[in-house]
Amino acid sequence: MSEKSKYSVVVPVYNEEEVILESYKRLKAVMDTIREPYEIVFVNDGSRDKTAIIINEICEMDKTIRFIDFSRNFGHQIAITAGMDYTEGDAVIVIDADLQDPPEVIPKMIEKWKEGYDVVYGKRAQRKGETFFKQFTAKVFYRLLVRMTDVDVPLDTGDFRLIDRKVCNALKKVNEKNRYIRGIISWLGFKQTGVEFTRDKRFAGETKYPFKKMLRFAFDAITSFSYKPLKLASYAGMLLSVFSFVYLLVVVYQKLFTDRTQPGWASILAVNLFFNGIILIILGIIGEYIGRIYDEAKGRPLYIVRQIKNFSDDKKIDDGR
Ligand code: UDP
Ligand code: MG
């Protein structure tokens, strides 16, 4: 452990007992071909299965494997953040544990990095073995996001990427609680490029992003980079005022100059229900933002670490944030 690692690979894991060993083996095989010092940092995001035990065993055998163990589940994006906080490499690579992002792409990323790029993201040219629903929602989401925000987030990229030490240090200054890391990295700027790859199907187990988590993730992405949903209220309001005013004129005209006064409360009820619905939706949107402001205001730490393993002796548990 005397030699400083040049590359740091960060792997967030949550209930991955079926894949973790295979994932370790394939990553190691790829990193060994590069012939430069590296470290692999597994971040256990409060798994409830044997994941932590298996990583502990790997750590006993192999001292290049480092381990950050969370006190509970804090979420994928936060696990990645913690991994980055503790790494020391000149280039940091983030990769999923389930082998959907093939480790064999890493050498290509490193090549680009050596050419002078600071961020090399993996671009999913094709996605294998994912449901139509997942692929469809992902496609819609990434396109919607581009339209809603001013930040140039590259289409169809995940968190599988390489970032330079400079970028990693800059990222440490970003303290927001509801994080959309790929967006933040784009926001940081620097010299960016992509390498294309085919996203494989999961090696084993099932996705740790059920629909509910995906939705929350999408809201985090949009709210961290755009106020547009909030403007919805003003636009809808303005449009409605214009319509109502015109309609008011019509009603007054009918009252004064014709004898066609209209009965019918059904139409009133329908209109009322419709607009109550809209108002509730808009209140909900405002609520999403306020909830996130509340999270920021509390200023709690992003994550709590239970133990760390195989880091150099001067690293402490509170070296994160
Ligand atoms: N993950 C995590 N915490 C969570 C959910 C997921 O650390 O709360 C990890 C998971 O173990 C995997 C990566 O994040 O390494 C991506 O998750 P997954 O493959 O389930 O997402 P998908 O590829 O289906 O979008
Ligand atoms: Mg996956």
Side-chain angles (χ1 to χ4, degrees):
M1 248 188 292
S2 50
E3 206 173 2
K4 186 175 163 297
S5 316
K6 182 155 183 189
Y7 302 108
S8 305
V9 184
V10 171
V11 193
V13 283
Y14 177 54
N15 293 345
E16 303 282 12
E17 59 182 5
E18 291 164 89
V19 296
I20 191 78
L21 201 60
E22 180 67 19
S23 173
Y24 157 69
K25 284 183 193 153
R26 251 177 81 185
L27 264 175
K28 190 175 173 60
V30 169
M31 293 313 289
D32 281 342
T33 60
I34 298 169
R35 300 189 178 287
E36 280 173 296
Y38 67 90
E39 58 178 359
I40 298 178
V41 182
F42 284 109
V43 186
N44 175 31
D45 187 11
S47 303
R48 291 161 199 275
D49 60 2
K50 296 205 192 74
T51 305
I53 300 172
I54 301 171
I55 301 177
N56 262 318
E57 280 166 10
I58 298 175
C59 283
E60 291 300 316
M61 279 169 3
D62 185 342
K63 296 295 174 194
T64 56
I65 306 303
R66 316 207 197 282
F67 184 27
I68 302 171
D69 196 12
F70 277 181
S71 62
R72 64 166 170 87
N73 180 259
F74 281 91
H76 176 209
Q77 300 288 300
I78 292 182
I80 294 175
T81 310
M84 288 179 177
D85 287 348
Y86 281 84
T87 53
E88 53 177 27
D90 299 327
V92 179
I93 298 128
V94 178
I95 186 167
D96 282 357
D98 59 359
L99 296 171
Q100 279 197 286
D101 309 329
E104 291 71 25
V105 180
I106 295 176
K108 284 193 217 160
M109 290 181 164
I110 290 178
E111 235 169 73
K112 289 273 179 201
W113 175 65
K114 286 187 170 159
E115 281 171 27
Y117 289 98
D118 299 315
V119 177
V120 187
Y121 48 83
K123 195 164 165 54
R124 300 159 178 172
Q126 241 185 47
R127 303 168 75 119
K128 277 194 211 156
E130 286 181 310
T131 58
F132 171 77
F133 179 73
K134 172 105 186 185
Q135 295 198 26
F136 178 74
T137 46
K139 252 207 149 75
V140 170
F141 166 68
Y142 287 119
R143 276 146 191 86
L144 187 75
L145 189 67
V146 168
R147 287 183 158 262
M148 300 249 296
T149 62
D150 304 326
V151 185
D152 225 351
V153 186
L155 284 175
D156 303 319
T157 60
D159 286 312
F160 180 32
R161 59 184 64 212
L162 176 152
I163 64 174
D164 186 82
R165 170 63 27 199
K166 294 195 282 285
V167 184
C168 190
N169 287 343
L171 201 63
K172 281 188 194 167
K173 294 189 192 141
V174 178
N175 265 321
E176 53 200 74
K177 305 284 183 279
N178 297 291
R179 327 184 115 231
Y180 181 62
I181 292 180
R182 43 199 104 150
I184 299 173
I185 291 180
S186 297
W187 177 87
L188 288 172
F190 291 100
K191 242 181 114 183
Q192 313 215 356
T193 186
V195 290
E196 289 208 338
F197 72 101
T198 303
R199 190 155 214 243
D200 288 329
K201 70 175 205 289
R202 217 171 209 289
F203 176 72
E206 51 193 49
T207 176
K208 306 299 178 300
Y209 263 100
F211 187 63
K212 216 174 119 197
K213 264 194 197 170
M214 254 162 59
L215 212 60
R216 193 190 154 78
F217 183 61
F219 265 117
D220 276 343
I222 293 170
T223 52
S224 351
F225 288 100
S226 169
Y227 302 124
K228 277 193 187 152
L230 284 175
K231 291 188 187 153
L232 218 66
S234 351
Y235 294 146
M238 277 186 257
L239 207 70
L240 282 177
S241 316
V242 173
F243 278 135
S244 324
F245 184 68
V246 173
Y247 187 60
L248 187 82
L249 292 182
V250 173
V251 172
V252 170
Y253 174 82
Q254 284 177 341
K255 181 81 190 162
L256 291 181
F257 301 109
T258 70
D259 45 10
R260 271 190 291 131
T261 27
Q262 302 203 349
W265 61 276
S267 53
I268 294 181
L269 194 68
V271 170
N272 238 323
L273 285 178
F274 178 69
F275 288 114
N276 280 345
I278 291 191
I279 289 170
L280 284 180
I281 290 173
I282 289 170
L283 268 182
I285 292 175
I286 297 175
E288 291 285 339
Y289 280 89
I290 293 185
R292 283 166 173 80
I293 297 173
Y294 182 50
D295 279 343
E296 299 295 337
K298 281 186 290 194
R300 291 188 184 156
L302 263 188
Y303 53 82
I304 305 289
V305 176
R306 177 167 50 194
Q307 59 157 341
I308 56 176
K309 251 198 165 145
N310 283 357
F311 282 95
S312 53
D313 297 335
D314 50 345
K315 271 260 190 300
K316 304 266 175 337
I317 279 191
D318 342 304
D319 278 355
R321 44 177 113 194

